[in-house]
Amino acid sequence: MLQAVGVTSVRRAEGRPAVDDISFECLPGQVTALLGEPGAGKTTVVRLIAGLDAGRGMTWFRGTPLHRVADPAREIGLVLGEVPGHPARTAGGHLRMLSAAVGVPVARADELLDAVGLGALRDERLGLLSRGMDRRLALAAALLGDPHTLILDEPCRDLSARDGAWLLARLRDHAAAGGTVLCATRDPKEAARFADHVITLDGGKVVADQDAEAFARTRLRPRVSVRTPHAARLSDAVRREARAARRSVEVVTESGSLLSVYGSSCPEIGETAYRHGVLVHRLTEEVGTGTAEARHASAPEASAPAAAAPEVSALAAAAPAGRPPSRDERAAAADPADVLRATDEAPAAPPRRPRSPRRALRYELRRMLGVRTAPLVAVAVLVSSPALCLLLAHGAGAVPPAALAAWPGFLPLPPAAFGAGLIGALSYGEEFRFPALAAVRGVSPRRPAVLLAKLAVTAAAAVTLAVLAVVVDAQVLRLLHGADLTAARENWADPGIRWLGLCVGCAWAGLLAAAVFRVTAAGVAAVLAVPVLIAPLVEFALPGAAVRSITGLAGRLRAMTQGRLPESADRWIRAALELVVQPFGAALVLSLSALICAYLSIALRRRATW
């Protein structure tokens, strides 16, 4: 059950909130339609009750307030229009990435792809999917956590009649299995066709709260649907008798043998047909649901896509007998639609499950490796770095560290460090540009676990890129110039530690700046600002006495510990301090400190708002 009490959005500039003090409830086993014209507040209500926008009021899911739901992805499934995924990511990769965020096995993603009829398109890129296939993928993403409640914002908008009928049939299946469904729509006929309960909004307020029968009787125009092989004769007879009786009757020819008669009734039409000797095959009363043919054809038409997928039947046949389907094992028996049913018939929300830190790591790895952006950046670095290295080496002989790092004076950063910063900026920049996590309630890009996972993955990527760049540069110098790398190999520790620190620092600067400003360009700008803007200011402001004091810090630490530090730890400390004491290193540390403070300020402010 879903209960919303006093839901109110924040006040707009003109002073009036878009949604003002709305209360309603959605019962399990029913489909509830949230009906309203554009601007009535449907989308605002959906986002408020799902916790995506800030506002006032309370929402309970099976008796538990939204902010206390232990694992929202296993309680709420959202379909908010098109899939907000990277267009270069595959359908299967997108669903597997979200399965890591939700914490379900990869097999669950594969089952849902088959169940929604996308099994053959699992390797198709999101940018090439049709609107109907995209909406099926959005439904599969909403069902990943096997939620009890489905919340959808105009899911059938811009869909074909066949795709819309299929989607609505899946919602009916979910409700029939004991789930709760709330679906926003602007079409009264659609609401009357598929909903059990209709809540009508106007101007941000509830103006009607009715069951489907009462809604159809009071809000829609009734009609008589007639199927006859002599449609023209019956149409003329009905019109003549209506004119003779001075009644307002309208006859609309839906097809060659189907008529819709408004302003009359089944007995009147039947008597007219009998008097004029017209054969009638079907005579039904309908209320705003399209033609009779469409009504009767909707069920088989909706089930056709699922029946067309042999994988679903095989999945259903593999179900063990004698037990109901579990949450993470969706090998359901009999009906392929059972794979789609997010069923939890318990009266209360499921108990809290411990969250593994590996969930965020798996998500970030699948997110970064699911598209070609990061590999292309790495290839560009490994191509440009040896070229610059050859320019700096000046032939054979001893190779300076700057040559191995491929850092000429006219560039603000070496290719490896800039590439690491770009990968870091993309880590959060693409997260906000393609907000895939918006469809997974309870998982935010700014969640601490996600941040730590991104820091760890980008650090590993930066270290890998830094090591590969140096190795490739050294091999190119040795093969083409016969350079002597003996000195570089013997004294690799201190410059190597500084080199890794530089690349990891650039990666983190790009990541944190993109997280604060929600755009990739801000992360790239923050990385470039360190050598171009901040380092010169630090060099100008840092006095020589301070430099000498910091330089001797490693020796003072060694004296304080009286040699208890191992030599390797002492080397790491000395190398890190030598990096920090340089203007570039100090500028990098200052940038990271400022970005961390800004990030924490934004995260704490958002948490206080909620």
Side-chain angles (χ1 to χ4, degrees):
M1 174 184 287
L2 165 63
Q3 296 172 298
V5 178
V7 174
T8 304
S9 63
V10 295
R11 293 189 178 275
R12 297 183 293 191
E14 58 268 25
R16 182 174 176 274
V19 171
D20 189 11
D21 196 21
I22 287 181
S23 300
F24 60 88
E25 67 178 23
C26 306
L27 298 178
Q30 292 187 359
V31 176
T32 302
L34 196 63
L35 177 66
E37 296 293 328
K42 304 184 302 297
T43 299
T44 304
V45 170
V46 167
R47 295 184 65 84
L48 284 172
I49 64 177
L52 299 177
D53 288 344
R56 294 184 312 225
M58 291 294 293
T59 307
W60 283 272
F61 292 87
R62 289 189 287 175
T64 303
L66 175 62
H67 63 278
R68 292 183 180 175
V69 174
D71 200 345
R74 296 179 182 269
E75 181 67 25
I76 313 165
L78 298 176
V79 177
L80 304 175
E82 296 182 356
V83 175
H86 196 294
R89 199 179 303 277
T90 63
H94 179 81
L95 216 56
R96 286 190 289 270
M97 178 188 73
L98 292 183
S99 69
V102 173
V104 298
V106 176
R108 171 69 172 160
D110 295 333
E111 289 172 5
L112 284 171
L113 279 174
D114 293 333
V116 298
L118 297 181
L121 299 176
R122 65 181 71 247
D123 295 325
E124 191 74 18
R125 301 191 183 280
L126 298 185
L128 300 178
L129 293 179
S130 67
R131 193 176 300 275
M133 297 299 102
D134 184 269
R135 205 63 52 87
R136 291 175 185 237
L137 184 61
L139 179 62
L143 293 173
L144 270 175
D146 200 2
H148 179 269
T149 303
L150 281 180
I151 302 175
L152 307 96
D153 186 16
E154 298 198 57
C156 297
R157 186 179 178 184
D158 300 327
L159 291 186
S160 66
R162 182 182 181 86
D163 287 330
W166 180 90
L167 182 59
L168 294 178
R170 302 285 76 77
L171 300 184
R172 295 293 331 171
D173 290 340
H174 183 84
T180 302
V181 178
L182 175 64
C183 182
T185 179
R186 65 177 65 182
D187 188 354
K189 296 180 181 179
E190 183 179 80
R193 182 169 65 250
F194 77 89
D196 304 297
H197 183 209
V198 181
I199 301 167
T200 306
L201 299 182
D202 187 22
K205 291 183 176 295
V206 175
V207 296
D209 192 337
Q210 306 163 291
D211 59 44
E213 276 189 30
F215 170 78
R217 185 173 61 253
T218 58
R219 297 290 306 278
L220 297 180
R221 187 181 180 190
R223 66 170 177 264
V224 177
S225 181
V226 188
R227 179 169 293 282
T228 171
H230 309 291
R233 286 177 54 197
L234 182 59
S235 176
D236 292 339
V238 170
R239 289 192 178 100
R240 287 198 305 270
E241 292 191 359
R243 284 195 298 267
R246 295 184 178 181
R247 293 188 294 109
S248 177
V249 176
E250 179 185 0
V251 182
V252 178
T253 302
E254 304 287 355
S255 64
S257 60
L258 185 64
L259 298 177
S260 292
V261 183
Y262 297 89
S264 187
S265 64
C266 283
E268 292 176 354
I269 300 301
E271 291 171 3
T272 300
Y274 177 77
R275 284 193 296 269
H276 292 80
V278 177
L279 176 64
V280 175
H281 289 165
R282 182 185 299 156
L283 186 64
T284 58
E285 288 186 355
E286 296 181 347
V287 182
T289 58
T291 65
E293 182 180 16
R295 173 189 283 273
H296 291 283
S298 60
E301 186 174 280
S303 62
E311 300 91 347
V312 180
S313 300
L315 181 64
R323 67 169 178 85
S326 65
R327 281 187 162 272
D328 294 329
E329 291 181 28
R330 303 305 296 173
D335 189 357
D338 287 342
V339 181
L340 289 169
R341 293 173 186 167
T343 308
D344 190 346
E345 299 180 357
R352 181 180 295 275
R353 300 188 182 191
R355 287 182 177 175
S356 170
R358 292 177 296 179
R359 180 190 301 189
L361 279 174
R362 285 196 296 265
Y363 164 77
E364 179 58 21
L365 285 171
R366 291 174 186 172
R367 186 208 61 79
M368 186 176 71
L369 300 178
V371 294
R372 300 177 182 176
T373 307
L376 288 177
V377 171
V379 170
V381 168
L382 297 180
V383 170
S384 59
S385 185
L388 292 173
C389 181
L390 290 175
L391 293 176
L392 294 174
H394 300 297
V399 180
L404 279 178
W407 193 356
F410 59 85
L411 287 181
L413 286 171
F418 180 75
L422 181 57
I423 290 176
L426 289 169
S427 180
Y428 260 119
E430 290 188 347
E431 196 77 74
F432 291 111
R433 185 181 178 188
F434 308 106
L437 288 179
V440 183
R441 182 65 185 91
V443 183
S444 169
R446 287 198 171 111
R447 182 181 291 276
V450 177
L451 171 64
L452 293 176
K454 288 183 179 295
L455 289 173
V457 171
T458 53
V463 169
T464 303
L465 196 58
V467 172
L468 287 177
V470 171
V471 170
V472 171
D473 292 349
Q475 294 302 318
V476 168
L477 287 177
R478 186 177 65 83
L479 291 176
L480 297 183
H481 288 294
D484 184 10
L485 303 176
T486 304
R489 285 196 296 266
E490 292 177 352
N491 303 314
W492 66 271
D494 290 348
I497 293 171
R498 293 195 296 270
W499 171 242
L500 295 179
L502 170 66
C503 292
V504 172
C506 288
W508 284 355
L511 183 147
L512 291 170
V516 170
F517 298 102
R518 302 170 63 95
V519 65
T520 303
V524 177
V527 173
L528 293 177
V530 173
V532 174
L533 181 62
I534 304 177
L537 292 177
V538 170
E539 187 175 7
F540 175 77
L542 195 63
V547 173
R548 290 191 297 272
S549 176
I550 296 176
T551 305
L553 182 58
R556 292 195 295 274
L557 287 175
R558 185 164 54 250
M560 290 175 58
T561 56
Q562 297 179 354
R564 284 178 292 183
L565 282 177
E567 184 179 355
S568 59
D570 179 69
R571 177 179 297 174
W572 278 92
I573 293 174
R574 185 175 63 253
L577 291 176
E578 287 179 359
L579 176 62
V580 171
V581 78
Q582 298 174 2
F584 185 93
L588 188 58
V589 171
L590 289 175
S591 298
L592 289 175
S593 301
L595 290 171
I596 290 174
C597 292
Y599 182 91
L600 292 176
S601 174
I602 293 174
L604 291 175
R605 185 168 68 248
R606 289 179 62 87
R607 180 170 295 181
T609 301
W610 286 107

Coordinates of all heavy atoms in Angstrom, one line a residue, residues 192-193 223 282 284-300:
A192 N -9.6 5.2 -17.7 CA -10.7 4.4 -17.5 C -10.5 3.0 -18.0 O -11.1 2.0 -17.5 CB -11.9 5.0 -18.3
R193 N -9.6 2.8 -19.0 CA -9.4 1.5 -19.6 C -8.6 0.6 -18.7 O -8.9 -0.6 -18.6 CB -8.7 1.6 -21.0 CG -8.5 0.3 -21.7 CD -8.1 0.5 -23.1 NE -6.8 1.1 -23.2 CZ -6.6 2.3 -23.7 NH1 -7.6 3.1 -24.0 NH2 -5.4 2.9 -23.8
R223 N -21.3 5.1 -24.8 CA -21.6 4.9 -26.2 C -22.0 3.4 -26.3 O -21.7 2.6 -25.5 CB -20.5 5.2 -27.2 CG -19.3 4.3 -27.0 CD -18.3 4.5 -28.2 NE -17.1 3.7 -28.0 CZ -16.0 4.2 -27.5 NH1 -16.0 5.4 -27.0 NH2 -15.0 3.4 -27.3
R282 N -22.6 -8.1 -32.7 CA -22.2 -7.7 -31.3 C -22.8 -6.4 -31.0 O -22.9 -5.5 -31.8 CB -20.6 -7.6 -31.2 CG -20.1 -7.2 -29.8 CD -18.6 -6.9 -29.9 NE -17.9 -8.1 -30.3 CZ -16.7 -8.1 -30.8 NH1 -16.1 -6.9 -31.1 NH2 -16.1 -9.2 -31.2
T284 N -22.7 -3.9 -27.5 CA -22.2 -3.7 -26.2 C -22.2 -2.2 -25.8 O -22.1 -1.3 -26.7 CB -20.7 -4.2 -26.0 OG1 -19.9 -3.5 -27.0 CG2 -20.6 -5.7 -26.2
E285 N -22.3 -1.9 -24.5 CA -22.2 -0.5 -24.0 C -20.8 -0.3 -23.5 O -20.3 -1.2 -22.8 CB -23.2 -0.3 -22.9 CG -24.6 -0.2 -23.4 CD -25.6 0.2 -22.3 OE1 -25.1 0.3 -21.1 OE2 -26.8 0.4 -22.6
E286 N -20.2 0.8 -23.9 CA -18.8 1.1 -23.5 C -18.8 2.5 -23.0 O -19.6 3.4 -23.4 CB -17.8 0.9 -24.7 CG -17.7 -0.5 -25.1 CD -16.7 -0.7 -26.3 OE1 -16.3 0.3 -26.9 OE2 -16.4 -1.8 -26.6
V287 N -17.7 2.8 -22.3 CA -17.5 4.2 -21.7 C -16.1 4.6 -22.0 O -15.1 4.1 -21.3 CB -17.8 4.3 -20.2 CG1 -17.7 5.7 -19.7 CG2 -19.2 3.7 -20.0
G288 N -15.8 5.4 -23.0 CA -14.6 6.1 -23.3 C -13.3 5.2 -23.3 O -12.3 5.6 -22.9
T289 N -13.4 4.0 -23.9 CA -12.3 3.1 -23.9 C -11.9 2.7 -25.4 O -11.2 1.7 -25.6 CB -12.6 1.8 -23.2 OG1 -13.8 1.2 -23.7 CG2 -12.8 2.1 -21.7
G290 N -12.2 3.5 -26.3 CA -11.9 3.1 -27.7 C -12.9 2.2 -28.3 O -14.0 1.9 -27.7
T291 N -12.7 1.6 -29.4 CA -13.6 0.7 -30.1 C -13.7 -0.6 -29.4 O -12.8 -1.0 -28.6 CB -13.1 0.5 -31.5 OG1 -11.9 -0.2 -31.5 CG2 -13.0 1.8 -32.3
A292 N -14.8 -1.3 -29.6 CA -15.0 -2.6 -29.0 C -13.9 -3.6 -29.5 O -13.4 -4.4 -28.7 CB -16.4 -3.1 -29.3
E293 N -13.6 -3.4 -30.7 CA -12.5 -4.3 -31.3 C -11.2 -4.1 -30.6 O -10.5 -5.1 -30.2 CB -12.4 -4.1 -32.8 CG -11.3 -5.0 -33.4 CD -11.2 -4.7 -34.9 OE1 -11.7 -3.6 -35.4 OE2 -10.6 -5.5 -35.6
A294 N -10.9 -2.8 -30.3 CA -9.6 -2.6 -29.6 C -9.7 -3.1 -28.1 O -8.7 -3.6 -27.6 CB -9.4 -1.1 -29.5
R295 N -10.9 -3.0 -27.5 CA -11.0 -3.5 -26.1 C -10.8 -5.0 -26.1 O -10.0 -5.6 -25.3 CB -12.4 -3.2 -25.6 CG -12.6 -3.8 -24.2 CD -14.1 -3.6 -23.8 NE -14.3 -2.3 -23.3 CZ -14.1 -1.9 -22.1 NH1 -13.7 -2.8 -21.2 NH2 -14.4 -0.7 -21.7
H296 N -11.4 -5.8 -27.0 CA -11.4 -7.2 -27.0 C -10.0 -7.7 -27.5 O -9.6 -8.8 -27.2 CB -12.5 -7.8 -27.8 CG -13.8 -7.6 -27.1 ND1 -14.3 -8.4 -26.1 CD2 -14.8 -6.7 -27.4 CE1 -15.5 -8.0 -25.7 NE2 -15.8 -7.0 -26.5
A297 N -9.4 -6.9 -28.3 CA -8.1 -7.3 -28.9 C -6.9 -7.0 -28.0 O -5.8 -7.4 -28.2 CB -7.9 -6.7 -30.3
S298 N -7.1 -6.1 -27.0 CA -6.0 -5.7 -26.2 C -5.3 -6.8 -25.4 O -4.1 -6.8 -25.3 CB -6.5 -4.6 -25.2 OG -7.5 -5.2 -24.3
A299 N -6.0 -7.7 -24.9 CA -5.4 -8.8 -24.1 C -4.4 -9.6 -24.9 O -3.3 -9.8 -24.6 CB -6.4 -9.6 -23.4
P300 N -4.9 -10.2 -26.1 CA -4.0 -11.1 -26.9 C -2.9 -10.2 -27.5 O -1.8 -10.7 -27.7 CB -4.9 -11.7 -27.9 CG -6.1 -10.9 -28.0 CD -6.3 -10.3 -26.6

